[in-house]
Amino acid sequence: MIAESCCASYLYSSAALIISAYLLRLFIQGPFYKKTNRIDGKVVIVTGCNTGIGKQTALELAKRGGIVYMACRDSAKCEEARQEVIEKSKNEQVYNKVLDLNSLQSVRDFAESFLKEQSTLDILINNAGIMAAPKTYTTDGFESHIGVNHFGHFLLTNLLLDALKKSESGRIVVVSSLAYIAGGISKSDINSDKSYNKVLAYAQSKLANILFAKQLTVQLKDTNIVVNSCHPGVVKTELIRHIVGIGIIQKAFTELFTSYFFKSVEAGAQTSLKLAIDPELSTSGNFYLDTFRVPLLPKANDMGMAEWLWNKSEQMTGLKED
Ligand SMILES: *[C@@H]1O[C@H](CO)[C@@H](O)[C@H](O)[C@H]1NC(C)=O
């Protein structure tokens, strides 16, 4: 009798543990976009999509019938990813076009080349980004985080606005991050010339992404374009492997840890996917996490700062002269 109750309680606690671990994992993954709506014939651009969330987003949109332009810096890696997307989606209308957000000239060349092929753009996903890199500068002399994550996408989006306005229901998705919380826009040193901290530089660029989406919302209020920003989640990407662990034990542990505690790329792409194609989404200027709209801190709702950043970005990228 005693033995039996001991084993039963052992069994119950093991079962409870397994179920809790499973539920926690489901919670980490977050909800998936479940609607099956297709986007046949719609033209899509995804930046930074030769790997990770970007590649997954391109794949999901290709599966639903989109004409997908994969915009990446490295043409060879992009081609490899493109072949994979075509194979998995059975959609041949997937293209590889070089876009190096480190260079405003490359952004201009990309836009010009794209607009020669398509007059309408339905969905733009500003996904590319660098995170917590050592201090480097872009070709145009911008600190790399603000340069690639914000200025490059600022120019790209503006050069494509006329094509987006031609769409019946244009969408712009700005992939930002909750890391914005750690950041501020430095009006006197946006380029981090005076002082540099890789985490703060990253956070500043992610706050800039949100403020950009906010100001775009003001500029586009009389159009059919819906623009929102999001936090994709902490996703298990190849990057992690380069950061932690040299030994085989460390590697195995890291693999186990990240596989459980980080989102899969499939899960990480869900919020972008919803913002890009959910037919019921009609409001702009909001921030989403795990496919849910969440409130922002006052600094990310500061429209004075959003306008200042817009003006500064116009000046820095030379957009005014266009
Ligand atoms: C931004 O530029 C516009 C037009 O040039 C100007 O009217 C506005 O005051 C500027 N806003 C800020 C915050 O600098």
Side-chain angles (χ1 to χ4, degrees):
M1 196 65 209
I2 288 163
E4 211 177 289
S5 75
C6 124
C7 294
S9 81
Y10 178 71
L11 218 67
Y12 286 141
S13 42
S14 310
L17 195 70
I18 289 167
I19 291 167
S20 313
Y22 176 71
L23 290 178
L24 177 61
R25 179 63 188 155
L26 280 186
F27 177 75
I28 291 167
Q29 290 285 60
F32 275 60
Y33 178 72
K34 297 248 172 55
K35 293 180 193 168
T36 55
N37 60 301
R38 294 185 58 84
I39 54 162
D40 294 288
K42 288 202 176 182
V43 180
V44 181
I45 294 174
V46 185
T47 70
C49 59
N50 60 289
T51 177
I53 306 174
K55 182 166 79 177
Q56 186 64 29
T57 307
L59 173 61
E60 300 265 7
L61 295 169
K63 277 183 179 166
R64 291 166 189 258
I67 299 168
V68 180
Y69 282 80
M70 299 177 72
C72 317
R73 183 171 49 173
D74 185 320
S75 184
K77 284 185 190 161
C78 194
E79 184 55 27
E80 216 172 284
R82 184 180 82 96
Q83 293 300 342
E84 187 187 327
V85 168
I86 289 176
E87 197 180 304
K88 287 187 179 163
S89 67
K90 312 278 178 258
N91 177 349
E92 297 277 331
Q93 288 186 292
V94 180
Y95 305 99
N96 162 4
K97 201 176 272 300
V98 172
L99 168 69
D100 182 0
L101 291 155
N102 273 294
S103 152
L104 296 179
Q105 190 55 52
S106 173
V107 173
R108 288 178 189 283
D109 292 345
F110 173 89
E112 193 185 321
S113 162
F114 170 81
L115 293 169
K116 273 189 191 141
E117 291 168 33
Q118 302 287 346
S119 59
T120 302
L121 174 60
D122 297 288
I123 301 168
L124 171 63
I125 302 186
N126 290 342
N127 170 82
I130 59 162
M131 183 170 87
K135 191 174 188 185
T136 50
Y137 287 96
T138 68
T139 311
D140 305 278
F142 306 142
E143 181 279 312
S144 293
H145 291 93
I146 195 78
V148 170
N149 298 357
H150 173 63
F151 290 133
H153 280 122
F154 172 87
L155 181 63
L156 177 72
T157 307
N158 274 287
L159 295 177
L160 297 171
L161 275 187
D162 286 339
L164 277 156
K165 285 175 188 166
K166 287 189 195 143
S167 171
E168 271 170 36
S169 57
R171 293 281 171 102
I172 301 171
V173 180
V174 179
V175 179
S176 176
S177 165
L178 274 180
Y180 88 85
I181 291 170
I185 304 291
S186 172
K187 278 190 175 178
S188 59
D189 191 24
I190 197 161
N191 221 19
S192 306
D193 291 320
K194 292 175 197 153
S195 73
Y196 182 75
N197 171 303
K198 61 186 180 181
V199 174
L200 294 183
Y202 175 66
Q204 173 178 253
S205 74
K206 293 288 113 180
L207 176 58
N209 287 154
I210 298 172
L211 291 171
F212 172 52
K214 288 262 171 194
Q215 188 61 25
L216 256 182
T217 302
V218 175
Q219 311 262 355
L220 299 175
K221 67 177 190 300
D222 298 322
T223 70
N224 290 329
I225 305 173
V226 170
V227 47
N228 288 293
S229 57
C230 67
H231 169 79
V234 182
V235 173
K236 181 171 183 277
T237 64
E238 281 155 29
L239 196 71
I240 303 300
R241 255 170 247 158
H242 302 297
I243 298 174
V244 197
I246 334 134
I248 196 154
I249 306 280
Q250 276 159 292
K251 273 200 179 132
F253 181 76
T254 307
E255 177 66 27
L256 210 69
F257 182 85
T258 55
S259 294
Y260 183 79
F261 284 105
F262 289 21
K263 277 183 199 277
S264 65
V265 285
E266 289 81 2
Q270 297 304 312
T271 307
S272 291
L273 185 64
K274 177 194 166 76
L275 297 185
I277 69 169
D278 188 347
E280 268 145 276
L281 187 78
S282 58
T283 49
S284 284
N286 298 313
F287 184 73
Y288 288 76
L289 181 161
D290 279 351
T291 74
F292 297 116
R293 185 181 156 182
V294 294
L296 286 162
L297 294 181
K299 64 181 166 189
N301 282 319
D302 180 346
M303 292 314 292
M305 186 60 96
E307 195 181 306
W308 178 87
L309 180 67
W310 183 280
N311 288 3
K312 182 78 177 170
S313 307
E314 272 184 341
Q315 180 204 327
M316 301 276 277
T317 60
L319 182 68
K320 268 280 169 68
E321 287 98 73
D322 280 274

